[in-house]
Amino acid sequence: MGITKTEIFTEEQNQIAKIAKVIGHPARVAIIEYLIRVDQCICGDLVEEIGLAQPTISQHLRELKNVGLIKGNIEGTSVCYCIDPINWNHIKALFSSFFDTYKNEACDEQCC
Amino acid sequence: MGITKTEIFTEEQNQIAKIAKVIGHPARVAIIEYLIRVDQCICGDLVEEIGLAQPTISQHLRELKNVGLIKGNIEGTSVCYCIDPINWNHIKALFSSFFDTYKNEACDEQCC
DNA sequence: TTATTATATTGCAATATTACGATTAAGTTG
DNA sequence: CAACTTAATCGTAATATTGCAATATAATAA
């Protein structure tokens, strides 16, 4: 079917999955890492930097914006993109908490 | 095309994306959270707990195993699944480092 | 107004993912 | 061995994703 049964999962599970899915493409990881390195840039910079077509980059930017990882501000004919600081912290906390839930005490033998 | 141009990205970017993609489905998040809660379980438990068909759960388990998030040990007719402690720590560190790369000093105004 | 610049949107083609019924494989029990 | 239990695999339908050419939109410059 290709369709996910979101209704049988919790809000939190769907939220983690939704954000992870967006991070789950190397182009979007590359965009994020570039944005962190240069603080802010426009779509054209990313097209040059990453080497995908402009519509493709634009599409990836939209998905990153949809989940709040980045934000964009119109500046004349171009759009200035950057990490969304507030949301970044929320998402970081969400994933920290997810990864911290597992405690591997003995780290070896207790598990199957 | 539906095909990702992995060759134009770094190993690290592809690795983060690959793992995030696997976490990017609520059923797999639910499986992980359940495994953390109960320590270990068999496929049938997850079929009951989550409410997807057995082949579907089995498929999700394979993907989780492929990226090393979980491991499975054959025990009689059933397979005992659990979080892979060593890999979990690596992956946790990978994502911590990814999220920690961004420092939002002033947290507001410096960005566009 | 007519370029020019920068980005978004549309419309595909190719491929991947999700889900499940049917079946297979492999160990266990009677 | 035959029946049973448990999980993996196969095949397939429905849908989603990726990438890009072509086009549209929107602001600025000449």
Side-chain angles (χ1 to χ4, degrees):
Chain A
M1 290 149 185
I3 193 163
T4 298
K5 289 189 167 178
T6 54
E7 71 277 7
I8 66 173
F9 304 106
T10 67
E11 282 272 328
E12 184 240 17
Q13 287 162 348
N14 282 314
Q15 204 198 351
I16 290 177
K18 190 173 153 194
I19 295 164
K21 192 174 189 178
V22 169
I23 300 175
H25 192 292
R28 294 191 285 262
V29 174
I31 288 172
I32 291 171
E33 290 183 347
Y34 184 73
L35 276 179
I36 290 175
R37 203 163 73 245
V38 303
D39 249 26
Q40 57 186 69
C41 75
I42 63 175
C43 176
D45 296 338
L46 289 161
V47 174
E48 266 203 31
E49 169 74 13
I50 297 187
L52 289 170
Q54 181 267 319
T56 308
I57 296 292
S58 188
Q59 197 171 285
H60 285 309
L61 286 169
R62 184 174 45 187
E63 289 180 71
L64 287 165
K65 219 169 57 176
N66 279 345
V67 296
L69 281 162
I70 68 171
K71 59 181 182 171
N73 247 330
I74 298 169
E75 284 186 6
T77 63
S78 58
V79 178
C80 178
Y81 284 101
C82 64
I83 302 291
D84 186 317
I86 313 288
N87 287 338
W88 183 270
N89 283 345
H90 290 158
I91 291 167
K92 179 178 168 175
L94 185 68
F95 278 80
S96 285
S97 148
F98 174 74
F99 280 111
D100 286 342
T101 308
Y102 176 66
K103 317 279 185 196
N104 35 359
E105 303 93 34
C107 203
D108 293 308
E109 296 320 309
Q110 87 281 23
C111 182
C112 55
Chain B
M1 289 153 187
I3 194 164
T4 297
K5 290 189 165 176
T6 55
E7 72 277 7
I8 65 173
F9 304 106
T10 68
E11 282 271 330
E12 184 241 16
Q13 286 162 350
N14 281 314
Q15 205 198 351
I16 290 177
K18 190 173 152 195
I19 296 164
K21 193 176 186 175
V22 170
I23 300 175
H25 191 291
R28 294 191 286 262
V29 174
I31 289 172
I32 292 171
E33 290 184 345
Y34 185 73
L35 276 179
I36 291 176
R37 203 163 72 243
V38 302
D39 249 26
Q40 56 184 70
C41 74
I42 63 176
C43 178
D45 296 337
L46 289 161
V47 173
E48 265 203 33
E49 169 73 14
I50 297 186
L52 289 170
Q54 181 268 319
T56 308
I57 296 292
S58 189
Q59 197 171 285
H60 284 308
L61 286 169
R62 183 172 50 188
E63 289 180 72
L64 287 165
K65 219 167 59 177
N66 278 344
V67 297
L69 280 163
I70 68 171
K71 59 180 184 172
N73 248 330
I74 298 170
E75 283 186 10
T77 63
S78 58
V79 179
C80 178
Y81 285 101
C82 64
I83 301 291
D84 186 317
I86 314 287
N87 287 338
W88 183 271
N89 282 344
H90 290 157
I91 291 166
K92 178 177 167 175
L94 184 69
F95 278 79
S96 283
S97 148
F98 173 74
F99 280 111
D100 285 341
T101 309
Y102 175 68
K103 318 278 187 196
N104 37 358
E105 303 94 33
C107 200
D108 294 308
E109 295 320 309
Q110 87 281 25
C111 182
C112 52

